[in-house]
Amino acid sequence: MTRRPLTRKPGLSACLSCPALDSVGFMENPYSSTPESIPPEFHSPPGIASPGVIDALAGTRFWVRLCSVLGFIGSGFMVIAGLLILLGGAASTASLPEGNGSMVPIVIGLGVFYLLFSGLLIYPSIKLWTYGSHIVRLLVSRSETDLVAALHAQRVFWRFVGWMIVSLVVLYFVGILVIGGFITYSAIKGVPTP
């Protein structure tokens, strides 16, 4: 039986009646991990992923693949919508009389936005699909190398999602400042707001 590492607690050596202290004034470290404190389903030989970890990742495989496929489908719909908006903007430019195309740049900008946003949606879908593929390989091989590859793919996905969230928060903040500035400017100049 292995003992946990002991840490010296200053000033506690006088309290020999305390059951947590041994005869020399040391106290067991409650945060150290020992083989006895690790549940058996997480024990594994070196180089082999533990069954508990494999089961946990196998439980997420369906949801990872579902989210990835929905991301691919959503990205495809956004590409179709962006192209239709661009074609609609081009058709409206051709049908409008000279000088009446004030909405055309907005419509074209919206189509380009949809196309760009579809690219931002397809990247995390690809990363999720890669993560799901690594989970499938892990289920077959049970190797620690495949476990590390799966966790690395998951880390890449979450890093991208984190940057997207930070970017959206910054864009919202800038948008609020711009709209607030426009309203303030309009109120000062007496220009009616839309």
Side-chain angles (χ1 to χ4, degrees):
M1 179 174 162
T2 351
R3 286 193 55 142
R4 292 186 195 182
L6 299 176
T7 57
R8 179 85 171 153
K9 295 290 183 182
L12 292 179
S13 59
C15 179
L16 295 177
S17 62
C18 182
L21 297 176
D22 66 3
S23 61
V24 291
F26 286 97
M27 184 174 188
E28 290 189 23
N29 183 356
Y31 302 108
S32 68
S33 64
T34 61
E36 297 87 26
S37 67
I38 301 173
E41 64 267 13
F42 293 105
H43 285 259
S44 65
I48 306 261
S50 69
V53 172
I54 292 173
D55 290 342
L57 287 176
T60 65
R61 182 184 59 175
F62 169 76
W63 298 107
V64 167
R65 292 291 177 139
L66 177 68
C67 291
S68 178
V69 167
L70 291 176
F72 287 132
I73 292 170
S75 182
F77 279 135
M78 291 191 80
V79 167
I80 291 169
L83 291 174
L84 289 175
I85 290 171
L86 285 174
L87 289 174
S92 67
T93 303
S95 66
L96 290 175
E98 193 72 31
N100 287 339
S102 63
M103 290 299 289
V104 172
I106 294 172
V107 171
I108 291 175
L110 185 64
V112 170
F113 173 78
Y114 266 74
L115 290 175
L116 290 175
F117 197 75
S118 71
L120 289 177
L121 187 60
I122 202 162
Y123 180 77
S125 300
I126 292 170
K127 292 304 169 188
L128 275 179
W129 189 266
T130 304
Y131 173 49
S133 298
H134 285 299
I135 291 174
V136 170
R137 273 194 292 257
L138 174 64
L139 292 175
V140 172
S141 73
R142 306 186 89 64
S143 119
E144 190 174 319
T145 305
D146 287 330
L147 172 63
V148 170
L151 293 176
H152 175 73
Q154 184 186 45
R155 181 185 64 81
V156 169
F157 167 77
W158 284 113
R159 183 180 59 200
F160 180 79
V161 169
W163 278 111
M164 287 296 299
I165 291 171
V166 168
S167 301
L168 285 175
V169 168
V170 168
L171 284 175
Y172 284 145
F173 183 71
V174 168
I176 289 169
L177 289 177
V178 168
I179 291 171
F182 178 72
I183 291 172
T184 304
Y185 176 77
S186 298
I188 291 172
K189 293 295 185 181
V191 177
T193 56

